[in-house]
Amino acid sequence: MSRARISIDRDFTISEVPRRLFGSFVEHMGRCVYTGIYEPGHPEADEQGFRKDVLALTQELGATVIRYPGGNFVSGYNWEDGIGPVADRPRRLDGAWHTVENNAFGLHEFVDWSKKAGTEIMEAINLGTRGVEAAREIVEYANHPGGTYWSDLRAKNGHKEPFDIKLWCLGNEMDGPWQIGHKTAHEYGRLAQEAAKAMRLVDPTLELVACGSSNSGMPTFGEWERTVLTHTYEEVDYLSLHAYYQEQEGDAESFLASAVDMDHFIEAVVATADAVRAKGRHKKHINLSFDEWNVWYSRPGDPDSPEYLATQPWQQHPRVIEDKYNVTDAVVVGTLLNSLLRHSDRVKIANQAQLVNVIAPILAEPNGPAWRQTIFHPFALMASLAKGQVMRTEILSDTVETSRFGAADLVDASITWDEESGKMALFLANRGLEEAAQVQVRLGGFDAGEVTKAQVLHVPSGLDRFAKNTLKLPNQVGMRPLDGVAAVGDQLTLTLPALSWAVVELSVAKK
Ligand code: AHR
């Protein structure tokens, strides 16, 4: 049995929980839109063709803000192709994913879908093949009340009231050579600066996200952020980060320590942004938007891999990277969410990529059912229970040495406290593959009351850490009761099973 001691103090908080940390992502990619959120003719489709089963799971997941329409897709996308009568919309080749886009789903459909889902829109613009003019025009179309060419066209297309989209991404992964219209940091920085100025001249209330690096392994990482922010510092509010993790060659220990890498990545970008702030004598801080993150198994030989599909005839919405997630993946996702919460003083937006079918917590079969993958559970519970303040969490844990990320605590945690409801929520993971972990938590400044929820996700009996939820067994892996949680005075004790992710919610009173 490994051991961990966790301490918090009522006076030591990091930030109010940014609700936008529980964001997701809908890209025109594979079956995320078509036969994912949108499938006219499906038995669960509503009058607009939106799948009600997927809408219900999106609400249960608790996604707060959804990035759209890409991703790599957006860098070759004409937003005007997705407006107006569907019959008049053009069919186009999407070079990013080697597919045919028929544009049956576009901006109006996404706005309507978002309203039904109860989610905020984070709209990405194309800074790959397009520029300043298209950027200001889409803002005028979406947000201007009326009396101009673009705003009147919106009304003609069925939406008299402005969409009032506040949050915008200035392109996607523009540092990546794979990106359509890829740019150097100087080229992108200047374009993003001018696009931001033009967009804000139409609507000064926008919040803007500049592209950071596609991942921390990019050769330009660091220098890209510095250059882009040097150009855009006064024009933008956030800088983006993207990261995908996978188990490599059976090295589960390193994979389970992915959040250590996420911690370092975030801290490096914060340091770079603050260095630009100091050098430029800027007053405000740039916050971070971790607008693509998840577990993603890249297997170029698989029939649903982008590499394989690129060699095939052009298709409409084929299956692309429909990863099936297991117990280990769910524990990793729980720890990545812990990392985001622990850095919530600077990370204010995060989007798990993607929402449905494509590397997603929700799977939906065409003309068939939809169900929750293993990674659905930590996301949904954290989105619903992380409220109030994120507590500064000191962890003294036994560690595991990993080959990719060095030493990692066996027990990982984040804790939130909502003074209004008097509820505290603890999100805990045990990275130990074999051993249970005994955890003692000191709740400084609090008296523990009733434990109102104690649940754990771990390897179901008789199965192994690769257990998944499938079409035939959609609930094989899920949350189960966590027994033996004891709360007395300012002490909470519990035991986490090997390889597990757990949530404990309790009432607390201030001492
Ligand atoms: O989420 C899948 C893809 O990953 C996105 O389109 C791209 O931005 C990233 O490389």
Side-chain angles (χ1 to χ4, degrees):
M1 176 104 70
S2 73
R3 277 169 209 287
R5 272 185 21 233
I6 299 174
S7 298
I8 60 165
D9 189 284
R10 203 178 75 207
D11 294 332
F12 298 161
T13 58
I14 296 174
S15 159
E16 190 161 322
V17 175
R19 293 302 302 160
R20 284 172 168 171
L21 278 193
F22 302 104
S24 188
F25 178 31
V26 166
E27 177 166 5
H28 283 247
M29 175 179 178
R31 301 193 308 110
C32 188
V33 172
Y34 303 106
T35 71
I37 62 172
Y38 175 74
E39 189 177 348
H42 187 282
E44 289 278 347
D46 69 7
E47 67 294 346
Q48 289 184 283
F50 304 153
R51 282 185 63 156
K52 286 184 280 178
D53 52 350
V54 174
L55 267 173
L57 285 174
T58 302
Q59 284 161 349
E60 186 186 321
L61 183 69
T64 51
V65 55
I66 300 197
R67 187 166 174 252
Y68 173 85
N72 295 343
F73 171 80
V74 81
S75 299
Y77 180 55
N78 297 334
W79 67 269
E80 305 90 330
D81 290 348
I83 60 171
V86 173
D88 298 345
R89 296 186 193 173
R91 288 166 67 82
R92 301 251 191 220
L93 294 182
D94 161 29
W97 303 114
H98 193 71
T99 51
V100 175
E101 170 62 54
N102 69 7
N103 285 301
F105 191 98
L107 184 55
H108 285 255
E109 288 76 19
F110 188 63
V111 168
D112 290 347
W113 182 87
S114 301
K115 200 161 275 172
K116 288 180 179 173
T119 49
E120 184 186 359
I121 294 173
M122 181 183 199
E123 181 76 16
I125 61 161
N126 175 356
L127 288 187
T129 60
R130 305 194 75 185
V132 177
E133 185 161 28
R136 69 180 179 149
E137 287 175 352
I138 188 176
V139 175
E140 182 180 325
Y141 186 89
N143 288 3
H144 194 67
T148 65
Y149 175 78
W150 289 107
S151 55
D152 288 349
L153 187 58
R154 181 195 66 238
K156 187 170 158 228
N157 287 335
H159 274 258
K160 190 167 180 315
E161 293 306 313
F163 296 150
D164 202 19
I165 301 172
K166 286 282 166 258
L167 193 53
W168 296 76
C169 299
L170 302 172
N172 176 70
E173 294 190 349
M174 297 309 302
D175 62 323
W178 59 85
Q179 201 69 213
I180 297 175
H182 159 62
K183 294 180 172 49
T184 66
H186 279 292
E187 289 166 346
Y188 170 71
R190 285 288 299 122
L191 179 59
Q193 180 185 24
E194 294 306 320
K197 276 164 53 186
M199 291 163 81
R200 281 232 171 91
L201 287 173
V202 179
D203 181 349
T205 69
L206 303 184
E207 294 177 61
L208 301 176
V209 185
C211 288
S213 294
S214 301
N215 60 71
S216 61
M218 296 297 290
T220 48
F221 174 55
E223 189 52 26
W224 174 274
E225 280 75 3
R226 192 193 67 75
T227 308
V228 167
L229 281 183
T230 300
H231 289 300
T232 60
Y233 203 96
E234 286 302 326
E235 276 81 28
V236 304
D237 306 286
Y238 308 93
L239 186 65
S240 76
L241 298 83
H242 291 181
Y244 292 99
Y245 295 97
Q246 66 172 304
E247 183 169 329
Q248 292 175 0
E249 291 160 13
D251 180 3
E253 283 85 358
S254 292
F255 177 47
L256 283 159
S258 297
V260 173
D261 182 71
M262 186 182 247
D263 290 342
H264 292 162
F265 186 15
I266 293 169
E267 286 155 22
V269 176
V270 167
T272 309
D274 289 352
V276 178
R277 175 176 183 257
K279 183 144 192 294
R281 275 108 176 125
H282 299 286
K283 289 211 162 54
K284 71 175 185 186
H285 280 100
I286 294 289
N287 285 323
L288 307 192
S289 170
F290 215 125
D291 47 43
E292 282 186 38
W293 68 269
N294 206 350
V295 172
W296 171 353
Y297 287 94
S298 161
R299 299 187 196 90
D302 285 2
D304 68 346
S305 70
E307 293 83 356
Y308 176 81
L309 288 162
T311 67
Q312 299 302 302
W314 296 85
Q315 302 172 58
Q316 279 189 65
H317 48 78
R319 292 177 190 266
V320 188
I321 51 170
E322 299 199 359
D323 283 358
K324 310 292 184 297
Y325 294 112
N326 61 39
V327 172
T328 320
D329 300 326
V331 176
V332 170
V333 162
T335 58
L336 295 175
L337 284 163
N338 279 346
S339 171
L340 293 169
L341 268 183
R342 287 193 305 254
H343 291 93
S344 55
D345 53 335
R346 296 301 290 275
V347 183
K348 299 294 181 186
I349 305 165
N351 306 73
Q352 190 182 41
Q354 298 185 3
L355 178 69
V356 53
N357 291 329
V358 180
I359 44 173
I362 301 168
L363 286 177
E365 273 303 297
N367 210 28
W371 67 98
R372 303 164 193 81
Q373 296 233 56
T374 60
I375 63 170
F376 183 100
H377 298 285
F379 189 111
L381 280 156
M382 290 179 81
S384 99
L385 299 178
K387 300 251 169 74
Q389 294 293 319
V390 183
M391 307 305 291
R392 199 161 287 286
T393 306
E394 292 300 325
I395 306 176
L396 272 176
S397 166
D398 290 342
T399 58
V400 53
E401 198 53 39
T402 72
S403 62
R404 282 167 61 205
F405 305 126
D409 288 336
L410 277 165
V411 170
D412 184 72
S414 67
I415 299 176
T416 61
W417 167 50
D418 183 25
E419 184 166 12
E420 210 178 300
S421 65
K423 286 282 171 71
M424 181 170 286
L426 296 87
F427 309 105
L428 303 149
N430 178 9
R431 294 181 167 122
L433 286 161
E434 307 292 342
E435 279 182 293
Q438 203 174 72
V439 183
Q440 205 182 355
V441 190
R442 195 185 67 80
L443 309 172
F446 295 102
D447 263 326
E450 191 195 354
V451 173
T452 45
K453 192 184 280 287
Q455 294 183 348
V456 65
L457 182 152
H458 61 119
V459 179
S461 77
L463 298 175
D464 60 22
R465 70 182 183 88
F466 300 104
K468 303 173 173 68
N469 292 336
T470 61
L471 177 59
K472 286 205 177 116
L473 293 168
N475 297 311
Q476 181 162 249
V477 181
M479 300 308 298
R480 309 278 179 254
L482 175 67
D483 298 326
V485 179
V488 180
D490 66 357
Q491 298 291 322
L492 185 82
T493 52
L494 55 101
T495 303
L496 295 171
L499 189 64
S500 62
W501 182 85
V503 56
V504 175
E505 184 199 49
L506 70 157
S507 302
V508 290
K510 288 201 263 180
K511 262 196 188 162

